[in-house]
């Protein structure tokens, strides 16, 4: 590869061959170190590495003897044969046997080396075996020639020449093994001195041995140092190549090179393995063949082709790899290369795997733009989509509709089944919502149980209303969550662009106002934005400001409605009711400002003030009179509530049992240890606890087992109409009183307004009565005045309740005996109507009243004064949940548009 270090013949593969494991490990350590140091520091580091590398040289010698030592057997045979031919003599039998033994020991070096290489052997054993083989071979051949010269007639000159020749062969075949060379020289000449037997020969041998030993030791040291130096130099020299080899093998990166025609001339093996093809099949092919030419990677391919044709460098170009059955991305770098004459030679570059980074980026992008739970577009992406529509250059393309959705009763699912069930429900809601909307618009989740739908264009309001109704119907169908049947609802607010806003903020705000209007209208409905909603929001904001001022300036009041004991008609206590005389609006119902106080957190201050005021009033009242104060769920959840109550009781100096706290069932939606702790704390204070509006909220009665209530209050919705024929309210009242008696609790019936209702609740066992039948709520001064006259109270009111009437103005036609008369309905109830326009109608006259073209009702005149008469319908009309009168048939409502 042109720009990469050439693969040396003595590279890491050759250098490490035959080395021990420690030496190879040392080499890998050296070659794997980074090359980013300055040149001077790198030189010093290289010198230190060379010195450290010398330690491994002792273990770097291959085998027991050199690989070609067995050729010494042939050299010995040739030397003996040539000596005999030259002198025309035959060696003695002993010389011949020794020569054969010498050749045998030489040949034995090959199996000895094989034995040593089969597994790790002790270096000292290997050295001893090598010395034994070299000494045995040289000694036997020396003795063979010495015996031949002195006893067999071999000319000493020929014998000496043969010994010298054999020594030369030993030296050549044992090159680099200084110790073995010394042993063979000693082995060759020692037998000659022994056979000669003269003093000169022995002394000469000893001197030669000493000199040879000294020279051998020095030569061995020199050879070892030179070998260490050469080995370390090779390591340093080939370090870069080794690092590149290791880098390629790990798969972290790869290299490529093309010729001047753009065909690959080099490619890392790791790339070929990833592509599932041999390197030889890829070399010679164009570089772009490595990449996928699919549509999603067209941009990368065009960029790569441009750089190759323009002969320009490129960096970190993301391309999709042509890996079969797998999506893999590479980051490719490249630059053109030129020879010494500035002739273009091709491209050279590198690449890295970009797959994980690409997946991480895609995942991060998805998390940034999509909801992780439902897979829908998140708030950020929905806002971007809306902004893109509203900023379109074409005016017609800026039209769209925004649906804001809020799930009804979702919190109840979370509280009762747990958050995992809530998450599973949200997934099913998202799937239904996408199926319902389809390609009409885009669906997103804003968070929690809030969703958004963007419908581009400007469909008719009827079409949008139909889509909203389909959404409500689809999401309101039962769900199966963890084997349980779950039912929820949804409310929808709709705003249109550009009529309801031309900016993202204004559209979302107005859609939000529409959503609140839909929820206030009874939930499970949709509502289009209208200007009066904005006015209502401004009024609500103004009312909040006024409420803050009223709290600060003492503008709130407590009124007290008597609670009468049913057994003796004496006042048992009062219920404190909050009232606000607004400086401009006059008296406001608590239903108008209490929700605002709860939403804004003002309820805590109002609640504390009410408790203190009620306790102060109790301090002036008779000891047997109690006072009940309503506690909102937000107050009940405040850990400071027991302290507030204790301080108020202490300041007023009253018995704690005279204060009664009325708590609604909604506090049990969060049925946890905090509730139990709060109940225990309140009972330790000694106050009484009453369960308010029983039967209208939480559907479970399990809380009655733990909550220490002293009283149950029957909501007025069960008392109202209880005396009407066919009403089941009486049975419900009887059941509640039976339950309370079994639990040892008092029962208060609220909202009693007629004598027949009073008789009913008394008959069913209610212990206390509260309502207009005894008294309306009284101001503090009136309550004090009433108590000053005694505790006895007498019921006063109508015998029975008349159906609620609504005023209206509607033209109708009345038919009697074939004659038709025009009349006007002035008010209406479910049982009858006040009709104006007919004079002096006899009581009992029968009429057929045409409310619409298709809705006819039969009625009887019950009274008539001047031109007004009262009609009683044969069949009562029906009402919806708000008390609005509707026609019993499937016609359009005829009685509509009335005003109170």
């Amino acid at each position: 590869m042109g720009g990469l270090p050439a693969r040396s013949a003595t590279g890491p593969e050759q250098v490490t061959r035959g080395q021990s494991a420690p030496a190879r490990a040392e080499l890998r350590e050296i070659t794997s170190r980074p090359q980013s140091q300055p040149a001077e520091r790198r030189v010093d580091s290289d010198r230190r590495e060379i010195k450290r590398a010398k330690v491994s040289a002792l273990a770097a010698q291959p085998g027991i003897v050199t690989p070609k030592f067995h050729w010494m057997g042939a050299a010995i045979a040739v030397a003996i044969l040539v000596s005999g031919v030259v002198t025309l003599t035959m060696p003695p039998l002993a010389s011949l046997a020794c020569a054969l033994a010498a050749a045998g020991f030489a040949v034995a070096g090959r199996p000895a080396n094989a034995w040593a290489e089969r597994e790790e052997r002790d270096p000292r054993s290997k050295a001893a075996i090598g010395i034994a083989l070299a000494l045995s071979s040289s000694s036997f051949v020396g003795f063979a020639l010495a015996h031949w010269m002195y006893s067999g007639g071999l000319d000493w000159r020929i014998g000496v020449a043969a010994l010298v020749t054999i020594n030369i062969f030993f030296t050549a075949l044992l090159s680099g093994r200084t110790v073995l060379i010394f042993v063979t020289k000693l082995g060759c000449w020692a037998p000659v001195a022994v056979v000669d037997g003269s003093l000169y020969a022995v002394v000469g041998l000893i001197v030669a041995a000493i000199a040879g030993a000294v020279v051998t030791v020095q030569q061995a040291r020199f050879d070892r140092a030179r070998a260490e130096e050469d080995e370390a130099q090779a390591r340093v020299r080939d370090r870069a190549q080794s690092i590149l080899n290791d880098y390629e093998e790990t798969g972290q990166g790869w290299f490529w090179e093309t010729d001047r025609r753009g065909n690959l001339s080099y490619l890392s093996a790791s790339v070929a393995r990833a592509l599932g093809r041999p390197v030889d099949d890829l070399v010679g092919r164009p570089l772009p063949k490595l990449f996928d030419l699919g549509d999603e990677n067209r941009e990368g391919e065009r960029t790569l082709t441009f750089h190759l044709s323009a002969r320009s460098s490129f960096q970190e170009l993301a391309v999709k790899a042509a890996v079969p059955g797998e999506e893999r991305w590479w980051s490719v770098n490249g630059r053109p290369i030129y020879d010494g004459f500035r002739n273009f030679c091709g491209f050279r570059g590198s690449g890295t795997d970009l797959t994980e980074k690409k997946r991480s980026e895609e995942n991060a992008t998805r998390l940034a733009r999509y909801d992780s739970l439902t897979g829908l577009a998140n708030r950020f992406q929905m806002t971007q989509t809306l902004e893109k529509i509203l900023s379109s250059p074409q005016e017609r393309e800026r039209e769209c509709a925004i649906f804001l959705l809020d799930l009804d009763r979702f919190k109840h699912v979370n509280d009762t089944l747990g958050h995992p069930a809530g998450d599973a429900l949200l997934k099913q809601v998202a799937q239904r919502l996408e199926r319902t909307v389809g390609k009409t618009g885009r669906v997103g989740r804003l968070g929690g149980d809030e969703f958004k739908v963007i419908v581009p264009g400007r469909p008719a309001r009827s079409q949008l209303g139909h889509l909203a109704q389909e959404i409500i119907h689809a999401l309101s169908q039962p769900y199966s969550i963890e084997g349980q049947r779950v039912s929820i609802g949804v409310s929808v607010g709709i705003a249109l662009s550009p009529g309801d806003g031309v900016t993202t903020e204004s559209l979302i705000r107005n859609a939000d106002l529409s959503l609140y209007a839909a929820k206030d209208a009874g939930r499970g409905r949709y509502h289009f934005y209208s200007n009066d909603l904005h006015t209502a929001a401004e009024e609500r904001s103004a009312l909040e400001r006024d409420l803050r001022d009223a709290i600060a300036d003492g503008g709130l009041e407590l009124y007290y409605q008597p609670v009468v004991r049913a057994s003796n008609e004496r006042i048992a206590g009062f219920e404190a009711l909050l009232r606000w005389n607004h400086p401009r609006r006059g008296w406001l119902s608590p239903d108008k400002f209490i929700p605002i106080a709860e939403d804004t957190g003002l309820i805590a201050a109002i609640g504390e003030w009410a408790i203190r005021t009620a306790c102060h009033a109790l301090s002036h009242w008779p000891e047997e009179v109690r006072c009940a104060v309503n506690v909102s769920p937000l107050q009940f959840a405040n850990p400071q509530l027991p302290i507030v109550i204790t301080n108020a009781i202490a300041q007023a100096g009253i018995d704690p049992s005279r204060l009664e706290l009325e708590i609604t069932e909604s506090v049990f939606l969060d049925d946890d240890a905090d509730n139990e702790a709060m109940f225990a704390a309140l009972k330790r204070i000694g106050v009484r606890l009453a369960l308010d509006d029983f039967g209208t909220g939480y559907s479970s009665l399990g809380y009655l087992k733990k909550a220490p209530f002293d009283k149950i209050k029957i909501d007025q919705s069960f008392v109202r109409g209880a005396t009407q024929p066919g009403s089941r309210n009486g049975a419900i009242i009887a059941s509640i009183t039976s339950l309370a008696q079994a639990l040892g609790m008092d029962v208060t019936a609220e909202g009693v307004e007629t004598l027949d209702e009073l008789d009913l609740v008394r008959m069913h066992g209610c212990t206390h009565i509260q309502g207009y039948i005894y008294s309306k709520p009284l101001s503090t001064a009136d309550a004090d005045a009433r108590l000053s006259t005694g505790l006895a109270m007498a019921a006063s009111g109508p015998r029975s309740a008349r159906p609620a009437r609504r005023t209206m103005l509607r033209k109708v036609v009345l038919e009697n005996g074939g004659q038709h008369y025009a009349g006007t309905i002035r008010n209406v109830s479910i049982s009858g109507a006040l009709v104006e326009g007919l004079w002096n109608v006899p009581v009992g006259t029968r009429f057929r009243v045409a409310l619409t073209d298709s809705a006819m009702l039969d009625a009887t005149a019950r009274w008539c004064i001047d031109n007004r008469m009262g009609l009683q319908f044969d069949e009562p009309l029906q009402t919806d949940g708000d008390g609005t009168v509707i026609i019993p048939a499937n016609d359009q409502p005829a009685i509509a548009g009335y005003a109170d």
Side-chain angles (χ1 to χ4, degrees), residues 63-267:
I64 292 176
V65 292
T66 57
K68 296 183 179 181
F69 182 70
H70 62 279
W71 288 106
M72 197 64 219
I76 292 173
V78 171
I80 296 298
L81 179 62
V82 171
S83 298
V85 171
V86 171
T87 59
L88 299 177
T89 59
M90 286 292 293
L93 184 59
S95 296
L96 186 59
C98 288
L100 291 174
F105 281 112
V107 173
R110 189 167 189 174
N113 280 341
W115 170 81
E117 291 178 357
R118 277 196 295 270
E119 57 183 270
E120 196 71 26
R121 307 292 181 181
D122 184 14
R124 290 175 294 182
S125 299
K126 292 167 59 177
I129 295 173
I131 292 174
L133 289 176
L135 183 59
S136 299
S137 178
S138 59
S139 298
F140 275 108
V141 72
F143 181 79
L145 289 175
H147 180 66
W148 192 2
M149 285 188 294
Y150 285 95
S151 303
L154 179 63
D155 188 277
W156 67 272
R157 290 169 293 184
I158 299 301
V160 169
L163 280 173
V164 171
T165 302
I166 287 173
N167 270 278
I168 292 173
F169 271 98
F170 271 121
T171 302
L173 293 176
L174 293 173
S175 176
R177 310 293 285 271
T178 306
V179 174
L180 295 184
I181 291 174
F182 170 72
V183 168
T184 57
K185 291 185 182 298
L186 184 62
C188 285
W189 294 106
V192 176
V194 172
V195 172
D196 182 85
S198 64
L199 179 61
Y200 293 109
V202 174
V203 172
L205 177 62
I206 293 173
V207 172
I210 295 172
V214 173
V215 172
T216 297
V217 171
Q218 295 298 324
Q219 183 64 37
R221 291 178 178 174
F222 175 76
D223 290 344
R224 184 179 303 171
R226 185 174 60 183
E228 293 171 354
E229 187 82 17
D230 292 344
E231 182 180 341
Q233 292 285 2
R235 294 178 188 175
V236 174
R237 182 175 61 252
D238 297 331
R239 179 194 300 161
Q241 182 66 42
S242 300
I243 291 175
L244 292 177
N245 291 338
D246 292 343
Y247 184 67
E248 285 184 300
E249 290 302 320
T250 58
Q252 299 178 15
W254 47 277
F255 302 99
W256 59 273
E257 187 180 56
T258 67
D259 57 21
R260 58 188 305 272
R261 292 183 299 276
N263 297 325
L264 288 167
S265 58
Y266 174 80
L267 185 66

Side-chain angles (χ1 to χ4, degrees), residues 545-838:
R545 291 193 300 270
D546 294 342
L547 181 59
R548 292 181 184 274
D549 294 340
I551 295 173
D553 301 337
L556 300 179
E557 299 179 53
L558 282 185
Y559 271 56
Y560 302 92
Q561 186 171 29
V563 178
V564 179
R565 188 173 287 106
S567 60
N568 56 13
E569 289 194 317
R570 290 175 61 85
I571 297 175
F574 293 90
E575 179 182 359
L577 301 174
L578 190 63
R579 295 291 184 264
W580 181 20
N581 190 2
H582 193 275
R584 295 184 304 277
R585 298 184 175 187
W587 292 101
L588 293 181
S589 169
D591 294 338
K592 293 286 187 181
F593 61 87
I594 289 298
I596 297 176
E598 291 181 335
D599 291 341
T600 58
L602 297 175
I603 193 65
I606 295 175
E608 181 175 352
W609 170 84
I611 291 173
R612 293 183 183 278
T613 304
C615 289
H616 179 72
L618 280 170
S619 65
H620 300 92
W621 293 347
E623 288 292 330
E624 58 185 294
V625 175
R626 299 190 181 100
C627 185
V629 180
N630 289 278
V631 175
S632 76
L634 294 178
Q635 284 180 274
F636 189 81
N638 185 0
Q640 300 300 316
L641 179 61
I643 299 176
V644 171
I645 294 173
T646 301
N647 292 338
I649 292 174
Q651 290 177 3
I654 62 174
D655 189 324
S657 64
R658 297 181 63 197
L659 178 64
E660 193 171 82
L661 303 180
E662 295 190 0
I663 301 170
T664 60
E665 293 172 308
S666 58
V667 302
F668 298 102
L669 291 177
D670 296 323
D671 189 10
D672 52 24
D674 292 339
N675 281 352
E676 296 183 17
M678 180 60 72
F679 278 119
L682 294 177
K683 292 306 290 185
R684 282 195 298 270
I685 296 173
V687 297
R688 287 170 54 87
L689 300 177
L691 180 57
D692 196 14
D693 299 336
F694 180 75
T696 62
Y698 194 44
S699 61
S700 173
L701 295 178
Y703 57 82
L704 290 178
K705 296 185 297 183
K706 300 179 181 179
F709 288 111
D710 301 289
K711 177 189 288 187
I712 292 178
K713 300 191 70 174
I714 300 176
D715 187 71
Q716 63 181 354
S717 62
F718 296 114
V719 175
R720 196 71 46 79
T723 59
Q724 296 294 325
S727 174
R728 298 181 180 179
N729 290 0
I732 295 175
I733 295 173
S735 300
I736 295 174
T737 54
S738 298
L739 174 64
Q741 290 172 3
L743 296 175
M745 301 178 185
D746 294 334
V747 181
T748 297
E750 294 183 297
V752 179
E753 297 183 355
T754 64
L755 294 174
D756 57 354
E757 291 175 348
L758 177 62
D759 295 338
L760 177 70
V761 297
R762 277 178 173 170
M763 178 183 67
H764 287 308
C766 292
T767 59
H768 295 81
I769 313 297
Q770 178 181 345
Y772 284 5
I773 193 66
Y774 284 110
S775 174
K776 294 183 177 181
L778 305 173
S779 65
T780 303
D782 292 340
D784 292 341
R786 180 64 190 79
L787 290 174
S788 65
T789 63
L791 299 181
M793 292 202 76
S796 175
R799 164 49 54 186
S800 62
R802 190 180 72 166
R805 293 181 175 270
R806 302 288 183 123
T807 59
M808 62 178 299
L809 185 65
R810 172 181 280 273
K811 297 293 185 179
V812 293
V813 176
L814 297 89
E815 184 268 333
N816 173 260
Q819 299 294 323
H820 294 81
Y821 306 94
T824 302
I825 294 181
R826 305 298 303 213
N827 62 51
V828 67
S829 70
I830 61 172
S831 60
L834 171 63
V835 178
E836 186 179 76
L838 280 75

Side-chain angles (χ1 to χ4, degrees), residues 423-476:
D423 291 344
L425 177 59
L426 289 175
K427 291 179 182 179
Q428 294 189 32
V429 168
Q431 294 169 1
R432 292 189 186 184
L433 189 56
E434 281 192 303
R435 287 197 302 267
T436 304
V437 175
K439 297 181 179 180
T440 305
R442 181 160 199 177
V443 180
R445 181 188 176 210
L446 304 183
D449 60 346
E450 298 179 357
F451 295 83
K452 179 195 285 188
V453 178
I454 299 177
V455 180
R458 195 180 182 101
R461 292 174 72 94
S462 59
Q463 293 179 341
L464 295 175
H466 180 68
L467 176 60
Q469 193 60 51
E470 286 185 343
I471 291 174
I472 294 171
H473 177 73
L475 301 191
S476 299

Side-chain angles (χ1 to χ4, degrees), residues 247-322:
Y247 184 67
E248 285 184 300
E249 290 302 320
T250 58
Q252 299 178 15
W254 47 277
F255 302 99
W256 59 273
E257 187 180 56
T258 67
D259 57 21
R260 58 188 305 272
R261 292 183 299 276
N263 297 325
L264 288 167
S265 58
Y266 174 80
L267 185 66
S268 295
S270 59
V271 176
R273 287 195 299 270
L275 296 175
R277 302 176 62 181
V279 175
D280 295 340
D281 287 354
L282 297 174
V283 172
R285 292 179 176 270
L287 176 65
K289 292 294 183 182
L290 301 179
F291 314 120
D292 187 0
L293 300 178
D295 292 337
E296 61 179 306
N297 196 35
R298 286 293 182 185
E299 186 63 30
E301 292 301 325
R302 286 196 295 268
T303 306
L304 177 62
T305 305
F306 168 78
H307 284 295
L308 293 177
S309 60
R311 299 180 181 179
S312 60
S313 300
F314 52 91
Q315 291 82 32
E316 299 182 358
L317 180 62
V319 289
K320 187 178 181 182

Side-chain angles (χ1 to χ4, degrees), residues 8-75:
S8 171
T10 59
E13 297 83 354
Q14 288 75 17
V15 171
T16 59
R17 188 177 297 119
Q19 293 181 344
S20 65
R24 292 193 295 271
E26 176 70 15
L27 176 61
R28 284 195 298 270
E29 179 183 353
I30 293 174
T31 57
S32 64
R33 291 174 185 165
Q35 302 294 303
S36 60
Q37 307 176 60
E40 298 81 0
R41 293 178 59 189
R42 211 160 45 237
V43 170
D44 294 340
S45 176
D46 292 345
R47 289 174 181 170
R48 290 192 295 271
E49 291 173 1
I50 290 172
K51 291 180 181 180
R52 288 194 299 269
K54 292 178 181 180
V55 178
S56 64
L58 290 175
Q61 299 298 336
I64 292 176
V65 292
T66 57
K68 296 183 179 181
F69 182 70
H70 62 279
W71 288 106
M72 197 64 219

